[in-house]
Amino acid sequence: MSRYVGRNVARKDAASKTAGTARYVDDLTWPGLLYGRTIRSSIPCGEITGIRFGFDRSGFTVVDAGDIPGRNVVSLITDDQPCLASRLVRHAAEPILLIAHEDPERLHGAHVEVDYLPATPVFDADRSTHIFKHVRIEKGSLDDGFARADLIIEGEYRTGHQEHLYIEPNGMLAVPGDGGVTLYGSLQCPYYVHKALCTLLDLPADKVRVVQAETGGGFGGKEDYPSIIAGHAALLALKAGRPVKIVYDRVEDMLATTKRHPSIVRHRTGVMRDGRLVAMDISVVMDGGAYCTLSPVVLSRGCIHATGPYRCEHVRVDGRVVMTNTPPNGAFRGFGAPQTLFAVEVHMARIAEALGMDPVRLREKNAFRPGDVTATGQRLGRDTAALDVLRATVARSDFHKKRRAFRGTNRGIGLSLFFHGAGFTGSGEVYLASKASLELTTDGVRILVASTEIGQGQRTVHAQIVADTLGIPLDRVEVEAADTAFVPNSGPTVASRTTMVVGGLLKRCAEEMRERLGSRSPGQYRRTHGRLVITKQYEPPPGLVWDDENYRGSAYGSFGWGCEVVEVELDPVTFEVRPTRVTTAQEIGKAIFPLGVRGQIEGGTAQGLGYALLEDVVMRDGAMANAQLTNYIIPTTLDTPPMDIIILERPYAHGPYGAKGVGEMPFDGVAPAVVNAIRSLGIDIRQVPATPERVMEAMERHERGRDAQEPLPVQVRGRLPERPLEPSRQRSPEPVEGRRRGKRNSGVESRGLDEPGIAGLQPGNGAKR
């Protein structure tokens, strides 16, 4: 019987954080410390023609691209991004020059003027011809599928940028010495930073050390960007011969660092009269910003999840991520899946409306079952739980009862069904070849991994796995700091992989250590045999094969499954939509630390509500115009509704104790459930965030009887069933002026579709104005 796994224990990081003794990068200091500052581009693209210094440079350290000893790149997937722009700039806020001084006031008072020859920027991703990555997934024959279809439904769906808004902004401290440099910083992936610095500084691996300081959140925003700020701090430190610290304030962090990729997703779907999906043609366009960064892997995950958790014989997903002259976009919780899952789940709601079909029934009919084959050709395992989460959420939320009860009111209810691949996409885990180690101490063990604690509970979960496997008390398990001088490369702390992949490696280490110890205590073993360190390297599960070129095979070892029901209330005067309740079931294999899992679901849901309703990054001339918390609004606890959370467990055969991963999935289904709830009020929204302005425009657009969003999206073959409209659509209390059956509205033409469909959708249906 497990003593710790599956139980709530005291977190390993609880005492230091609650006592205020945990040391973040801004708490760190060093003798002779200088403070660093970045001089950035003020235009979206053009040529640098001159730099003028409007201050006394005595006591300052100044670094430009000419001071870089190695290659002037931020080494990641594609080395297209310079650490410092030398001649050309491709986005606003691009780093050009670095300055450092021991007096922060003099540093920030220093004026630097950069002269440019501006060029014409590209801001529209749909028109960009510079493609970072193209993905094509094909299954079956679209021609055959559409030939069989009774109904073809089209739609376009858009998502915007989103700012990470971790509590602690990016920061790094560089300390030169011994012919190299040591970095202490707020980061997710120590070995990403290590690799980037070796390239930038032209130093051997043993001359660069990266140590994670206590980190106040990441959400993907500290996956790749810390390599840039670490490079800047290191360049200044090596030139000055003194420690240099750079910590961004909130405005600089929001202006300069990566964000979630905006997307345009277009669906063309063939369905049968009984609701079966027979053809899915999906186009995905993502805005990568000025440089490639992690865009290829974001696009990959987005495309693989673009069909939603639905079976269909004939599928084509065509995706591209392109360059625009805006700050580069990067990883963000969900990693491309939230964008494409938003599109397919809102599209499914429209399909149900067009068929006059219950949205739950439509999903039940098409949801993946064990043994089904995905668009990439992956055969799903016995842990496939799409129907389980759907039925659990619908039952717990009283979805149908409330759907009927809310008609004629200003309250709505919406649903989404989603899945999330656990771990890196495709052959990513094989490429990483992650390692984890376990070291015997005098009275227990020490975990040696590069996985980082960023608030998600990694230290605790890893310790629970090791303690239970070894059969020792939890307090005998220490967790070493993520320091490249002492821990192996366990891969990045991303992609919901830390429990499943790295935890799995630690379990294997513990199993071997238990065997080696036998009946001896750690102290007895060490006295006889000396130091013992056991290291394990990732090995793919049997049968997990992936073709990177053709996007065929098993994209992930397993998937998590989720369903979300969101209830909302519309203010008919301000057009503000307020979430009033969330019910969700999420299947994650095994909840090693149930309280942590619940926290991940609550946090991901709250973040998703912000994405759905509030968080609107306003770009002006390629720069974020609302880079402060006065007008970039995120949900507070007062904005967060009650959440009813159901955790389901269908163990994954190759996860530690059956665990998959939970970090990202809770975000995936929130936005489409919110928009589908708004949709149940008769308001046709296909873009997030659904701000009051967009809600008002959608209602006014409908009232004017003009829908500029989408022409003729429905084609009908034959005759659809004589099915009554959804009750909520039939009993609109007050017919709205301009309402008539068969009129194009809400982006769907009801050509020959008199009874079923969304012809009955009305703006203000229950939201009287």
Side-chain angles (χ1 to χ4, degrees):
M1 180 179 176
S2 295
R3 187 175 174 189
Y4 301 108
V5 168
R7 298 174 183 272
N8 294 321
V9 300
R11 284 181 58 136
K12 285 283 184 183
D13 55 341
S16 62
K17 288 179 176 174
T18 52
T21 57
R23 289 165 63 81
Y24 297 81
V25 66
D26 210 22
D27 297 321
L28 305 179
T29 189
W30 224 265
L33 181 69
L34 303 179
Y35 298 91
R37 178 185 156 200
T38 309
I39 307 299
R40 302 179 180 279
S41 165
S42 59
I43 65 169
C45 66
E47 184 177 348
I48 300 168
T49 57
I51 298 176
R52 290 172 283 139
F53 297 92
F55 62 96
D56 177 4
R57 295 175 60 178
S58 62
F60 278 85
T61 300
V62 179
V63 166
D64 62 22
D67 293 306
I68 295 173
R71 294 174 57 214
N72 182 15
V73 296
V74 182
S75 185
L76 197 60
I77 294 176
T78 300
D79 290 348
D80 66 336
Q81 183 175 16
C83 185
L84 291 171
S86 58
R87 188 175 65 86
L88 300 176
V89 294
R90 280 169 50 168
H91 67 88
E94 181 162 5
I96 295 174
L97 196 74
L98 307 167
I99 58 177
H101 196 275
E102 62 187 9
D103 181 351
E105 287 193 17
R106 282 196 63 188
L107 178 70
H108 292 287
H111 181 69
V112 180
E113 193 76 34
V114 181
D115 300 321
Y116 307 95
L117 182 61
T120 302
V122 175
F123 296 139
D124 184 349
D126 234 3
R127 296 186 177 183
S128 175
T129 57
H130 186 148
I131 298 174
F132 291 133
K133 171 81 172 179
H134 176 247
V135 169
R136 173 70 70 97
I137 299 171
E138 292 183 303
K139 176 188 177 187
S141 163
L142 275 185
D143 290 342
D144 291 349
F146 282 120
R148 289 175 54 199
D150 292 321
L151 188 70
I152 298 173
I153 300 172
E154 299 179 6
E156 178 180 299
Y157 310 90
R158 292 175 178 252
T159 63
H161 287 94
Q162 187 184 22
E163 168 62 33
H164 295 88
L165 252 301
Y166 24 68
I167 293 175
E168 178 202 26
N170 273 284
M172 282 282 175
L173 168 64
V175 181
D178 194 26
V181 65
T182 298
L183 273 294
Y184 302 85
S186 182
L187 53 90
Q188 290 180 230
C189 313
Y191 276 93
Y192 277 13
V193 178
H194 187 270
K195 174 188 172 188
L197 290 181
C198 289
T199 302
L200 180 76
L201 305 176
D202 194 25
L203 287 173
D206 63 348
K207 293 297 180 185
V208 175
R209 178 184 171 195
V210 179
V211 186
Q212 186 210 14
E214 201 67 66
T215 297
F219 309 120
K222 293 172 184 172
E223 179 174 352
D224 55 324
Y225 197 85
S227 295
I228 297 177
I229 188 171
H232 293 168
L235 288 168
L236 284 166
L238 289 173
K239 186 167 184 178
R242 296 168 63 176
V244 173
K245 182 161 69 175
I246 301 177
V247 178
Y248 293 166
D249 63 18
R250 184 61 71 186
V251 172
E252 184 173 20
D253 200 291
M254 294 174 79
L255 272 174
T257 66
T258 57
K259 294 172 179 50
R260 188 182 298 283
H261 289 67
S263 72
I264 307 166
V265 183
R266 298 179 175 96
H267 276 259
R268 182 168 181 259
T269 306
V271 296
M272 304 301 288
R273 296 170 185 171
D274 63 2
R276 279 177 295 142
L277 304 176
V278 292
M280 302 178 82
D281 188 8
I282 306 167
S283 161
V284 179
V285 179
M286 289 189 177
D287 179 351
Y291 296 106
C292 184
T293 68
L294 292 161
S295 289
V297 282
V298 171
L299 179 72
S300 291
R301 185 175 286 267
C303 288
I304 290 168
H305 289 75
T307 63
Y310 303 113
R311 48 188 181 182
C312 181
E313 292 182 12
H314 307 289
V315 177
R316 179 175 64 197
V317 182
D318 189 276
R320 67 182 194 276
V321 58
V322 300
M323 191 207 91
T324 62
N325 293 109
T326 56
N329 298 308
F332 199 146
R333 194 177 204 164
F335 226 72
Q339 292 93 319
T340 54
L341 286 169
F342 167 76
V344 69
E345 280 304 288
V346 177
H347 194 64
M348 287 292 282
R350 293 183 58 235
I351 291 172
E353 290 162 356
L355 290 169
M357 190 171 184
D358 181 290
V360 176
R361 178 65 190 136
L362 177 67
R363 288 171 171 85
E364 275 186 327
K365 184 171 280 292
N366 293 288
F368 280 134
R369 274 82 164 165
D372 279 344
V373 177
T374 69
T376 66
Q378 178 169 359
R379 188 167 295 282
L380 296 171
R382 295 172 61 187
D383 57 332
T384 299
L387 287 175
D388 297 338
V389 295
L390 176 65
R391 290 167 178 164
T393 309
V394 169
R396 180 73 74 88
S397 65
D398 280 334
F399 178 80
H400 289 108
K401 181 179 177 182
K402 288 179 179 175
R403 193 172 157 89
R404 289 191 296 272
F406 290 172
R407 66 176 178 251
T409 75
N410 64 336
R411 300 177 68 186
I413 186 167
L415 174 143
S416 69
L417 182 66
F418 47 98
F419 64 159
H420 198 96
F424 257 61
T425 301
S427 56
E429 294 293 350
V430 175
Y431 171 78
L432 286 171
S434 299
K435 295 179 180 176
S437 299
L438 201 58
E439 179 182 13
L440 197 66
T441 64
T442 54
D443 61 353
V445 292
R446 182 179 298 116
I447 290 172
L448 305 174
V449 293
S451 303
T452 52
E453 175 65 63
I454 53 177
Q456 83 282 38
Q458 164 264 332
R459 292 175 194 149
T460 308
V461 169
H462 282 175
Q464 287 176 281
I465 292 170
V466 168
D468 253 11
T469 307
L470 280 170
I472 63 174
L474 189 67
D475 60 7
R476 300 289 177 86
V477 181
E478 303 172 17
V479 183
E480 180 63 68
D483 180 338
T484 57
F486 299 106
V487 301
N489 187 353
S490 311
T493 307
V494 301
S496 305
R497 64 183 294 279
T498 301
T499 296
M500 185 181 79
V501 175
V502 184
L505 293 174
L506 286 170
K507 186 169 187 292
R508 288 169 52 201
C509 291
E511 287 167 347
E512 181 175 328
M513 185 167 283
R514 184 181 60 195
E515 189 175 326
R516 300 271 289 268
L517 285 175
S519 60
R520 289 167 291 192
S521 70
Q524 291 169 332
Y525 184 94
R526 282 174 61 97
R527 283 193 291 275
T528 305
H529 300 283
R531 186 171 183 249
L532 173 63
V533 178
I534 294 174
T535 300
K536 295 293 181 184
Q537 182 170 326
Y538 174 80
E539 297 171 2
L544 195 68
V545 178
W546 175 254
D547 178 350
D548 272 323
E549 290 297 319
N550 300 304
Y551 274 72
R552 301 298 301 164
S554 297
Y556 304 97
S558 183
F559 290 88
W561 306 87
C563 182
E564 199 105 15
V565 167
V566 176
E567 299 164 39
V568 302
E569 187 174 86
L570 173 69
D571 186 319
V573 176
T574 65
F575 303 98
E576 183 181 20
V577 174
R578 185 173 66 87
T580 57
R581 187 172 187 81
V582 174
T583 306
T584 183
Q586 311 221 359
E587 190 285 313
I588 61 166
K590 176 67 179 177
I592 304 288
F593 180 31
L595 193 62
V597 170
R598 189 168 292 272
Q600 288 279 5
I601 295 174
E602 289 178 352
T605 302
Q607 202 169 34
L609 291 171
Y611 186 52
L613 292 168
L614 300 174
E615 299 187 42
D616 195 11
V617 172
V618 178
M619 284 288 179
R620 187 172 300 146
D621 296 327
M624 186 177 180
N626 54 334
Q628 54 272 317
L629 291 174
T630 53
N631 52 11
Y632 183 81
I633 309 300
I634 63 171
T636 68
T637 52
L638 294 178
D639 302 306
T640 306
M643 297 181 193
D644 191 355
I645 295 169
I646 307 162
I647 300 171
L648 298 181
E649 296 177 336
R650 302 286 181 271
Y652 170 45
H654 304 287
Y657 296 96
K660 298 175 182 176
V662 70
E664 298 175 294
M665 189 171 67
F667 186 95
D668 289 344
V670 184
V674 168
V675 166
N676 288 340
I678 298 172
R679 199 169 181 83
S680 75
L681 293 165
I683 303 167
D684 186 11
I685 292 284
R686 303 184 200 175
Q687 181 174 3
V688 287
T691 57
E693 291 85 354
R694 290 199 175 108
V695 172
M696 182 183 72
E697 287 169 5
M699 295 175 73
E700 291 182 346
R701 185 171 55 242
H702 186 83
E703 287 179 356
R704 289 196 304 268
R706 289 182 284 115
D707 190 338
Q709 270 192 296
E710 190 181 17
L712 303 180
V714 175
Q715 301 170 16
V716 182
R717 291 189 177 83
R719 183 172 175 77
L720 286 164
E722 292 294 337
R723 192 186 301 272
L725 290 174
E726 289 287 313
S728 61
R729 311 278 159 63
Q730 287 181 304
R731 303 181 187 177
S732 178
E734 293 184 358
V736 177
E737 188 178 355
R739 176 184 182 181
R740 62 184 174 84
R741 180 177 298 166
K743 181 178 179 179
R744 189 196 312 174
N745 59 13
S746 300
V748 176
E749 185 197 50
S750 54
R751 185 173 50 180
L753 193 63
D754 285 348
E755 286 299 327
I758 64 170
L761 277 176
Q762 297 300 318
N765 189 359
K768 301 168 190 163
R769 295 176 54 198

